[in-house]
Structures are given as C-alpha cells and as structure tokens.
Amino acid sequence: MWGSRMALRRLQKIAVAPLSVKEGITSKIQREMSTLQRVYVTRQIPPEGLRILKESGQVQFELWDSDDVPVSRAELLKKVKGVDGLLCVLTEKIDAELLDAAGPNLKVLSTMSVGFDHLSLDELKKRGIRVGYTPEVLTDAVAELTVALLLATSRRLIEATHEAKTGGWGTWRTLWLCGHELANSTVGILGLGRIGVAIAERLAPFKVKKFIYTDVAPRPELARAINAEYVSFDELAKQSDFLAVCCALTPETKEICNKELFSKMKNTSIFINTSRGGVVNQEDLYEALSTGQIAGAGLDVTVPEPLPTNHPLFTLKNCVILPHIASASYTTRNAMSALAANNLLLGLRGEPMIKELKL
C-alpha cells in the first residue's frame, strides 16, 4: 500500500522519461511536434500531473483550464474528436456517445479517480481502449476524513459550533449536546478493502471493542490486520454502533443502504458514507434520521452532487453533509494527478500502466 506522501515522491521518480529531441533546426522540432500524440485533459488537474505531461515530450495536450466549472458536454464532445488519449475526472460521463465522438484514434483513457462508475466499461472494452485509474494513493486521506466525519457526527460538533456562534451556549446542562463515543463500541465496515482497513487502524486507538465487516466474501488476510470478524449483512446492521460504508458502487450495491438496513440498526447508531452516494437510498435515510430510527449520519457523497441546498437532508441537525472532499489533501490530489498522467503516458507508449483496470 502506498501512503500519499510516499506515493507522490515515487511517482515523481517514476514519471515517464522525456522522449529525447535531438539537436536540430526549428523546422525539425516543429515536424516532431506535429507527430506527437494528441491528448485532451478535461480539468485543470493539480500541478504535478500537468508537469509530467509537459515535460514528457511525448504528447501535445489541450486543457479545460478551470477547476471551478466542469467542461460542458457539448464542448467535451467537440474537443475529444481525434484524440489519442483522454485524461478525465469523475464528473465526466464516458459513454458510447463520447467514445463515438472521439473516434478510432482514442486508445487510452486515464481517470483521476479510484472510482469508475462514470465510465462505460463495456463500451471501452468493446473498442479496445485501455483504462488507467488512481487507487491506493488516496487511502490515507479518505481514511482520515472518514474518521473526522464520524467524530463530527457522533459528537455533534457541527451543532455545537452553531450553538456557540448563535447564542445557544448558556448555562451548563447535564445532557446538552451529548453524543456517542467510540470506547467499547462495535464498528462495522461495509466493504473491507484498503480504505476500510485504514479506517479501522485509525479508530483502534479509541478503544473500540470490536470490528466487524461484510463483503461479497470473507477477506481473511485484510481482516487479520485489524482483527475483524466477518458477519452477515443483517448482523452488520444489528451489531454496529458505527457503520462505515466503504464499498464500490456496482449494480449489486446500488441503494443497498435502504430502509431494510436502517430498520435493523440500533437507534443509537451512527451511519457514515465516504464511498459513493449511489449506495444509499437518501429518502430512506431521511426517514430513518427524522424518526430517530438511527442517531445520526455523516455523508461525504450524495446523489446528485452537488446536493441541492433545499434537499430535506440539509434540514436535519443529525445529518452532517460534506461536499465530496475525502481525498482533498494537497499531497493526495497531486499524487492522484501524477499517477493519472503516468498511466496515460505509459498506456500511449503501449507499456504496462502503473494502475490499470482489467476490462
């Protein structure tokens, strides 16, 4: 497993060696430039990735030069025409329409994300397009944010800050703003992978009594690292004082966290999701929170994103919602962009990518 700082240093060293341009006149350089592979980058990615692309001498790339406003669909369909490679982020839907617009030259897609539910994998496979992605480098950042969100939700920190700012802080009261602590608790993990293990490692010093998990099958090697017990989905719901969702979004996990799950949880339970918004039925979650079926929820991901400000979940004091920032540390985002750039360049050279999806 790569820590994000170690990963960034390693990726800076791995960075694909620049293609040599022998000494020659300007016209020769211009001819060589005209033969460089064309790449479109759909967002102003962090500087390490851009540096690697610029210094590679391998590609000429065009960039949607904004980090605040995503490229429009119409603009994207126009810009991908004839490109050899595409570097995208999770806000871009890569489907048959886009791949048809790109045409037969497109051989490599590199997404600056660990998730790939924005990609039509069947369409990419059918066209023989290789796909790079950026797992592992964001494990530490996501685990840290998950713990922070869990504590903010369970100890009611957002509510407390609001009360302090708006005059609600009066005389000391015996049960005012009381929350739920981790000591002697059972923490459940839905989907035990690298991130789930990293979350458990960070929670263990809080004197958690037991870690349990469920997945499509037992993961004994990962479970041993955190002394976690494999349980059924129902038992995960029933036993967990804190339930952290870490699974990928697939057809099987879509809205797997619904009224059936929430109805089996304790009314003191805290529900945390930093995976994908689509794994949760938000109407069912609102019902569970508003009726006291569960104690609280912390969400870093929603459907849609951004979540409209008039969404019912925003009206609940026991629901903490963040704007999808789990991987948002400078080190991690630079490591992600560096890995995405390296994957793209290696793929265009016909070499093995550092991290490639097997289609």
Side-chain angles (χ1 to χ4, degrees):
M1 187 188 299
W2 293 359
S4 55
R5 291 183 188 279
M6 184 183 299
L8 181 54
R9 289 195 294 269
R10 182 176 175 185
L11 287 164
Q12 287 167 331
K13 294 176 183 176
I14 287 176
V16 177
L19 294 174
S20 60
V21 179
K22 296 179 181 178
E23 291 182 9
I25 59 176
T26 302
S27 60
K28 181 180 179 182
I29 294 175
Q30 289 173 335
R31 286 197 303 273
E32 290 181 346
M33 284 290 291
S34 70
T35 64
L36 293 178
Q37 293 169 299
R38 288 182 55 222
V39 166
Y40 187 67
V41 182
T42 69
R43 190 68 69 91
Q44 186 186 61
I45 61 172
E48 278 301 320
L50 290 178
R51 181 188 64 79
I52 288 167
L53 292 178
K54 288 174 182 174
E55 295 179 3
S56 70
Q58 181 182 339
V59 296
Q60 52 177 319
F61 69 92
E62 189 174 354
L63 170 73
W64 177 254
D65 199 13
S66 173
D67 193 30
D68 297 320
V69 180
V71 60
S72 71
R73 183 70 174 179
E75 180 75 1
L76 181 59
L77 292 175
K78 182 172 69 175
K79 292 296 186 181
V80 297
K81 185 177 180 180
V83 298
D84 301 287
L86 181 63
L87 197 160
C88 71
V89 295
L90 52 78
T91 53
E92 277 70 69
K93 185 178 181 183
I94 309 300
D95 56 8
E97 180 189 34
L98 184 139
L99 297 174
D100 287 342
N105 284 352
L106 182 60
K107 295 295 185 289
V108 179
L109 171 78
S110 180
T111 180
M112 190 183 128
S113 64
V114 63
F116 42 85
D117 46 282
H118 57 301
L119 310 179
S120 296
L121 299 183
D122 290 342
E123 294 292 336
L124 289 159
K125 182 178 181 180
K126 185 166 68 177
R127 291 165 169 80
I129 298 171
R130 295 174 64 188
V131 179
Y133 69 134
T134 60
E136 298 186 24
V137 295
L138 46 63
T139 298
D140 288 336
V142 174
E144 286 179 9
L145 190 281
T146 304
V147 172
L149 181 57
L150 184 153
L151 290 169
T153 305
S154 63
R155 296 303 301 271
R156 303 171 65 181
L157 301 188
I158 307 303
E159 285 182 77
T161 300
H162 177 75
E163 292 295 309
K165 286 180 177 179
T166 58
W169 185 4
T171 186
W172 185 83
R173 285 163 271 176
T174 58
L175 291 176
W176 185 54
L177 288 174
C178 282
H180 301 276
E181 60 187 67
L182 279 159
N184 298 310
S185 68
T186 295
V187 173
I189 299 169
L190 176 55
L192 186 66
R194 291 180 298 270
I195 291 173
V197 169
I199 291 167
E201 289 172 339
R202 286 157 175 78
L203 290 177
F206 286 88
K207 299 181 181 178
V208 170
K209 179 175 68 177
K210 182 167 69 169
F211 290 105
I212 58 176
Y213 76 100
T214 198
D215 212 317
V216 291
R219 309 285 300 272
E221 188 174 338
L222 289 173
R224 275 195 297 272
I226 55 172
N227 195 27
E229 175 189 348
Y230 179 78
V231 298
S232 68
F233 188 68
D234 281 357
E235 283 301 310
L236 187 80
K238 292 174 183 176
Q239 293 187 38
S240 296
D241 297 301
F242 300 86
L243 178 52
V245 181
C246 303
C247 60
L249 176 59
T250 66
E252 293 72 31
T253 62
K254 182 176 172 60
E255 296 193 354
I256 193 172
C257 301
N258 52 35
K259 60 184 176 183
E260 185 178 351
L261 173 78
F262 301 132
S263 67
K264 293 176 176 132
M265 293 174 68
K266 304 173 186 179
N267 61 10
T268 55
S269 294
I270 303 294
F271 176 82
I272 302 295
N273 184 21
T274 54
S275 60
R276 284 290 185 265
V279 303
V280 178
N281 182 307
Q282 291 175 172
E283 289 72 27
D284 290 353
L285 177 60
Y286 174 82
E287 183 69 17
L289 289 167
S290 61
T291 61
Q293 197 166 59
I294 63 174
L299 310 174
D300 184 52
V301 286
T302 61
V303 176
E305 292 183 358
L307 193 66
T309 55
N310 62 353
H311 193 281
L313 285 172
F314 278 123
T315 68
L316 301 175
K317 290 184 178 181
N318 58 345
C319 187
V320 177
I321 301 174
L322 303 179
H324 202 154
I325 59 167
S327 66
S329 76
Y330 292 111
T331 302
T332 290
R333 290 285 172 87
N334 268 295
M336 290 172 70
S337 72
L339 179 52
N342 275 301
N343 281 338
L344 180 76
L345 295 173
L346 288 164
L348 287 171
R349 286 189 175 188
E351 298 175 13
M353 297 183 189
I354 301 167
K355 294 293 176 182
E356 182 170 359
L357 270 176
K358 302 304 179 186
L359 302 181

